[in-house]
C-alpha cells in the first residue's frame, strides 16, 4: 500500500518506519527541510531504541523516503496520516495550527479517493475541522474528490515505541465509512494476530479515547505520588504499600510507582487539554486539576529534600545528578523533573555534575547556556564522573545502569555519602548498611 505520513517527529517517524517494515511504500513529509536532509543521511531527530536501524534498512530497501512537501510525491497515496505536533497553547488547550495546515496541504494535493488518518492527538471534533479544511481547498480547485476522515490515535510509549506499534494492546479506529474500514483493516492486518484487538467506533469516540487513556495513567501516577507524601509523613514505607495494592488484580502494578513526577510530550499536555475541553463544556474537572496540581508539587519534592538537608544557600555544595530525560529509553526532556531540579539548584548557586546515557546532546541545546559558561553545571561523559567529590547524589531517571550501581566506586568518589532516590530504585537498608545516608520518595 502507498502511504504518506505528514510529520517526521516522534509519532510520524515511528509510524512511517514501522509501516515500511511491514512492506508498504511510505513517504514521510516534513516542512523542516534541514530535518529531511538529515533523515536522508540516516540522521534521526530523536532517540528511540531500534528506530535508526529500522529507518536506514527501509531506506536502503526503497520502502521509506523523505520529502519536504506532498507535491514531491509522484504516486498519490491511498492513505495519508497526519502526525504533526499538537503542543499546548497559552491557555493549556491543544494548538491545532499544524494539524489544520496539514489538512490544507492535503486538500491542495489529492486528486483521487484516499483515507486521511488523524494520528496526532487532537481534541474531540477536530476531525470535522480537518474535513472542512480539505473540502474548502478542493472547492477552490473546483474538484469533486471523495475522501474519508479516520481517527487512529497512537499509544506509543517512548523507549518502547516499535514494540508497541508491532505488538499493540489495541488499535483504536474511529470512522464512518465501510470503504475506509476495509482499507484500515487491510493496513493493520500484518500485526493483528488477534482481530479482537481492533476496535472500531465513531470518530469522536476515538478522539476522546486517547485523552482519557493518558489522563487515567497520569491519575494513577499522581495518586500514588500523593500517597507517597503521606507515607513519608507517617513513617510508612510506600514501596510495601505499592506491593500490597499492586497484587490486587483490580488495581495492577502498572503506573503505581512513586517518583518525582511525570513528564514528556503526552501526559502534561493531554491533561491540560482535557481540562480545557471540560471547562469548554461546562464540566468542572475536579479530578484532572488535582492530578495536575499534585504533579506540579511532586516535581519539587527532590529540590525540597536537598534544601532540607543543606539549607537554601548551596554555593559550597556539589551535587551529582543521574538522569536528565523524563523517563528511561528516550532523550526527551520535555516537562522532565530534571528541569525543575536544575533550575532550583542553579538559583541557589549549587555546583552540579550531571550524566544521562542519551539525553546529553538535548540538554546542551535545551538548558540555558549561562549555566554551563558559569561553570556551575557540567555534563560529564561517564556515569561515575558525576559523583566525583559530590556531597549528594540525586537519582532522577531510572536508567538500568543506575539501578545496580557499584557501591564501592560510589563511596570512593563521593565526598559525603548522601543519596536522594527520586525513583525508589534502591533498598534503603542496603544503602544504610553500606553507610550511605538515604532519602527516597515516601520511605
Amino acid at each position: 500500500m502507498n502511504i504518506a505520513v505528514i510529520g517526521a517527529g516522534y509519532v510520524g517517524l515511528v509510524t512511517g518506519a514501522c509501516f515500511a517494515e511491514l512492506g508498504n511504500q511510505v513517504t514521510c513529509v516534513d516542512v523542516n527541510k534541514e530535518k529531511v536532509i538529515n533523515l536522508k543521511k540516516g540522521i534521526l531527530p530523536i532517540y528511540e531504541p531500534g528506530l535508526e536501524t529500522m529507518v536506514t534498512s527501509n531506506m536502503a530497501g526503497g520502502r521509506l523516503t523523505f520529502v519536504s512537501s506532498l507535491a514531491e510525491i509522484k504516486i498519490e497515496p491511498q492513505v495519508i496520516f497526519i502526525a504533526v505536533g499538537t503542543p499546548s497553547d497559552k491557555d493549556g488547550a491543544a494548538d491545532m495550527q499544524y494539524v489544520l495546515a496539514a489538512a490544507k496541504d492535503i486538500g491542495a494535493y489529492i486528486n483521487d479517493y484516499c483515507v486521511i488518518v488523524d494520528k496526532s492527538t487532537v481534541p474531540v471534533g477536530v476531525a470535522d475541522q480537518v474535513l472542512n479544511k480539505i473540502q474548502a481547498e478542493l472547492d477552490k480547485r473546483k474538484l469533486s474528490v471523495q475522501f474519508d476522515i479516520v481517527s487512529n490515535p497512537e499509544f506509543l510509549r517512548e523507549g518502547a515505541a516499535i514494540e508497541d506499534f508491532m505488538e499493540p494492546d489495541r488499535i483504536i479506529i474511529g470512522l464512518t465509512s465501510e470503504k475506509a474500514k476495509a482499507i484500515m483493516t487491510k493496513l493493520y492486518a500484518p500485526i493483528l494476530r488477534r482481530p479482537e484487538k481492533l476496535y472500531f467506533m465513531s470518530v469522536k469516540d476515538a478522539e476522546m479515547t486517547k485523552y482519557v487513556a493518558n489522563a487515567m495513567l497520569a491519575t494513577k501516577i499522581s495518586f500514588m505520588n500523593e500517597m507517597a507524601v503521606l507515607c513519608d509523613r507517617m513513617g510508612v514505607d510506600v514501596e510495601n504499600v505499592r506491593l500490597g495494592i499492586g497484587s490486587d488484580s483490580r488495581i495492577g502494578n502498572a503506573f503505581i510507582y512513586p517518583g518525582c513526577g511525570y513528564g514528556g510530550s503526552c501526559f502534561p499536555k493531554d491533561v491540560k487539554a482535557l481540562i480545557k475541553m471540560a471547562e469548554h463544556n461546562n464540566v468542572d474537572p475536579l479530578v484532572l486539576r488535582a492530578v495536575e496540581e499534585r504533579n506540579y508539587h511532586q516535581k519539587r519534592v527532590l529540590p525540597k529534600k536537598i534544601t532540607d538537608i543543606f539549607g537554601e544557600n548551596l554555593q559550597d555544595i556539589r551535587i551529582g545528578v543521574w538522569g536528565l530525560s523524563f523517563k528511561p529509553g528516550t532523550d526527551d526532556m520535555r516537562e522532565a523533573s530534571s528541569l525543575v531540579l536544575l533550575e532550583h539548584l542553579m538559583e541557589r548557586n549549587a555546583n552540579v555534575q550531571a550524566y544521562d546515557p542519551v539525553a546529553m546532546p538535548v540538554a546542551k541545546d535545551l538548558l540555558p547556556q549561562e549555566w554551563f559558561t558559569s561553570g556551575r553545571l557540567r555534563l560529564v561523559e561517564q556515569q561515575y564522573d558525576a559523583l566525583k567529590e559530590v556531597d549528594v547524589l540525586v537519582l532522577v531517571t531510572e536508567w538500568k545502569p543506575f539501578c545496580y550501581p557499584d557501591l564501592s566506586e560510589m563511596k570512593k568518589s563521593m565526598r559525603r555519602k548522601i543519596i536522594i532516590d527520586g525513583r525508589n530504585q534502591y533498598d534503603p537498608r542496603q544503602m544504610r548498611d553500606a553507610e550511605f545516608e538515604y532519602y527516597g520518595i515516601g520511605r
Side-chain angles (χ1 to χ4, degrees), residues 10 14 46-51 156-164 326-332 358 399-400:
Y10 183 82
V14 172
I46 59 169
Y47 171 81
E48 177 64 33
L51 184 59
L156 306 176
R157 296 169 297 163
E158 293 191 44
I162 292 174
E163 177 188 350
D164 287 345
F326 86 94
K327 62 177 282 189
T330 179
D331 61 355
D332 194 345
V358 302
W399 286 93
K400 287 182 179 178

Side-chain angles (χ1 to χ4, degrees), residues 124-139:
V124 174
V126 167
D128 293 337
Q129 297 178 41
V130 170
L131 186 152
N132 292 336
K133 183 68 74 171
I134 294 172
Q135 189 60 57
E137 290 302 308
L138 289 171
D139 291 345

Side-chain angles (χ1 to χ4, degrees), residues 206-265:
E207 289 172 332
M208 189 63 168
T209 297
K210 168 66 175 182
Y211 277 104
V212 174
N214 279 352
M216 175 61 78
L217 297 177
T219 299
K220 291 184 73 174
I221 294 170
S222 281
F223 176 81
M224 204 62 199
N225 281 337
E226 188 157 297
M227 293 303 100
V229 173
L230 181 59
C231 286
D232 199 33
R233 297 284 177 89
M234 299 176 67
V236 174
D237 189 338
V238 74
E239 284 301 303
N240 288 328
V241 176
R242 178 185 64 79
L243 291 171
I245 67 170
S247 62
D248 187 329
S249 61
R250 297 170 301 173
I251 298 172
N253 288 301
F255 291 87
I256 61 168
Y257 289 80
C260 49
Y262 61 75
S265 63

Side-chain angles (χ1 to χ4, degrees), residues 275 317 375 410:
I275 288 172
I317 304 301
M410 292 173 68

Side-chain angles (χ1 to χ4, degrees), residues 64-96:
L64 181 62
T65 56
F66 297 95
V67 298
S68 56
S69 71
L70 280 171
E72 296 177 58
I73 305 175
K74 303 307 180 187
I75 301 175
E76 193 166 320
Q78 296 150 284
V79 181
I80 301 176
F81 284 90
I82 298 176
V84 296
T86 55
S88 293
D89 213 337
K90 291 180 180 179
D91 65 352
D95 185 347
M96 290 296 104

